[in-house]
Every structure is written in structure tokens, then in C-alpha cells.
């Protein structure tokens, strides 16, 4: 997929807003807040890597993401009340992913963020589809994807190994005409 910038604005200015959230590019100032997310074993339980052992791991990740967002604003920081609480966006070709701090679970925030992101990818960037991969045991993420209109397209055993523990994957696709209303 070739990245096409949204019409009428500078890439670094790409900000998406919802009723409760701001989705924006990452900043070096996000390291501490995002370490609280990526360092939490509850949050990282279904992630494809172990919890960050210290802030230096998060700092390196954030700095990589700052540079990549400047080239292509695809993977956003989720901000609520002035604080980074998670991340979401396309991280590989058309694959969407998301992560949210534990204190913000079960409030519908990821559904809200995903609605804004899906509209951005289909309407502004003209993606032909979005895909997703989730651990089938991660019921909340699976439900969030289904609520957004994603359709399950397959499953596979033993797709990720983190600290010696294998996880399975369930795969999803969303076409522009399948979006939730």
C-alpha cells in the first residue's frame, strides 16, 4: 500500500478528535504515560512482546514512533484529559492494532477511537481494507473489532511466543462498506 496523505494539511498536524479522546502523533513527553501502559503485565497479556522492563524500552519505542509518524501518520497516541492512555492505528500495511491502559478499560474508549480511525483510513487515506489479528482469548479486543464491523476471516494456532508461552490468532478484515453505523 502506498501512503497518501490526507487532503489539505501537513502530515505532522494530523489529529483526530472524538467526544472524549484526542488521537495524535507521539511525543517524547509521552514516555512516562506510555510506560504505565506498556509496562503493565495485565495490558500486555495479549501483546506480541513482554511488558517493558523499564522506561528505556518505552523511550526507544516512542522515539521510533515519533520518526515514523512524521513520515506517515498512521499509528496514533490516544489522549484523554491531557494524558496518553494508549495507542492505536495501522502498524503494518493495512493491519490495525490497539492498546489501552488498564485504568481505561470497559469505558467504550477503544470503540470510540476505532470509529475515528476507521473513518480516517477509509475516507481520508482511501484504504481498500483494514485487517486485524487478535488472540481469541482476548475477548474485549475481539468484541471491539466485531462491534466496528470487522469480519472474522480465519484463525491459526501458535502464532506468537512471548516468554515461552504460545498464543493463537484470529484474523479479521473490514471493507469500507462493512463499517458499523
Amino acid at each position: 500500500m502506498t501512503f497518501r496523505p490526507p487532503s489539505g494539511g501537513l502530515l505532522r498536524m494530523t489529529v483526530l478528535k472524538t467526544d472524549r479522546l484526542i488521537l495524535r502523533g507521539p511525543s517524547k513527553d509521552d514516555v512516562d504515560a506510555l510506560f504505565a501502559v506498556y509496562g503493565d503485565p495485565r495490558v500486555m497479556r495479549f501483546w506480541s512482546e513482554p511488558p517493558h522492563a523499564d522506561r528505556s524500552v518505552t523511550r526507544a519505542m516512542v522515539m521510533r514512533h515519533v520518526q515514523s509518524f512524521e513520515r506517515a501518520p498512521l499509528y496514533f497516541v490516544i489522549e484523554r484529559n491531557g494524558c496518553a492512555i494508549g495507542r492505536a492505528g495501522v502498524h503494518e500495511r493495512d493491519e490495525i492494532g490497539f492498546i489501552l491502559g488498564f485504568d481505561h478499560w470497559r469505558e467504550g474508549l477503544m470503540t470510540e477511537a476505532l470509529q475515528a480511525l476507521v473513518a480516517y483510513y477509509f475516507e481520508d487515506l482511501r484504504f481498500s481494507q483494514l485487517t486485524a489479528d487478535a488472540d481469541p482469548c482476548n475477548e474485549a479486543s475481539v468484541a471491539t473489532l466485531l462491534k466496528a464491523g470487522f469480519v472474522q476471516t480465519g484463525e491459526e494456532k501458535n502464532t506468537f511466543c512471548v516468554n515461552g508461552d504460545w498464543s493463537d490468532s484470529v484474523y479479521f478484515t473490514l471493507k469500507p462498506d462493512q463499517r458499523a453505523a
Side-chain angles (χ1 to χ4, degrees):
M1 193 213 122
T2 303
F3 174 74
R4 283 172 276 177
S7 57
L10 297 172
L11 298 182
R12 66 182 179 279
M13 305 270 306
T14 302
V15 175
L16 308 176
K17 294 182 181 182
T18 71
D19 289 341
R20 299 179 289 172
L21 305 170
I22 295 173
L23 285 73
R24 58 166 175 78
S27 159
K28 62 181 173 51
D29 296 332
D30 295 326
V31 171
D32 288 339
L34 290 178
F35 176 67
V37 175
Y38 286 92
D40 187 335
R42 298 168 298 183
V43 174
M44 297 296 281
R45 165 67 183 94
F46 299 110
W47 206 247
S48 57
E49 64 185 64
H52 292 185
D54 58 59
R55 281 177 174 70
S56 68
V57 177
T58 307
R59 183 178 303 107
M61 177 199 72
V62 168
M63 297 317 294
R64 282 191 315 274
H65 292 165
V66 165
Q67 292 175 350
S68 66
F69 194 86
E70 289 173 357
R71 289 188 308 275
L74 297 174
Y75 205 81
F76 293 78
V77 166
I78 301 169
E79 180 183 304
R80 184 179 192 194
N81 299 325
C83 184
I85 62 168
R87 305 220 34 237
V90 167
H91 59 91
E92 191 172 313
R93 293 189 338 218
D94 60 7
E95 184 177 340
I96 200 163
F98 46 84
I99 190 166
L100 189 64
F102 180 79
D103 292 342
H104 304 280
W105 288 5
R106 304 200 190 303
E107 296 182 42
L109 296 173
M110 194 52 71
T111 297
E112 188 174 320
L114 200 53
Q115 289 171 339
L117 289 166
V118 166
Y120 171 68
Y121 297 128
F122 286 145
E123 295 168 16
D124 293 338
L125 301 184
R126 305 283 188 234
F127 274 63
S128 61
Q129 71 174 10
L130 293 170
T131 62
D133 169 358
D135 185 319
C137 295
N138 188 345
E139 295 174 5
S141 289
V142 169
T144 299
L145 291 165
L146 292 172
K147 191 172 186 179
F150 281 79
V151 175
Q152 184 177 335
T153 56
E155 51 190 59
E156 192 172 335
K157 298 281 186 198
N158 298 326
T159 54
F160 288 103
C161 185
V162 177
N163 292 334
D165 293 325
W166 282 97
S167 297
D168 300 335
S169 288
V170 60
Y171 301 104
F172 299 89
T173 300
L174 179 66
K175 304 280 187 184
D177 61 345
Q178 296 171 319
R179 295 179 353 192

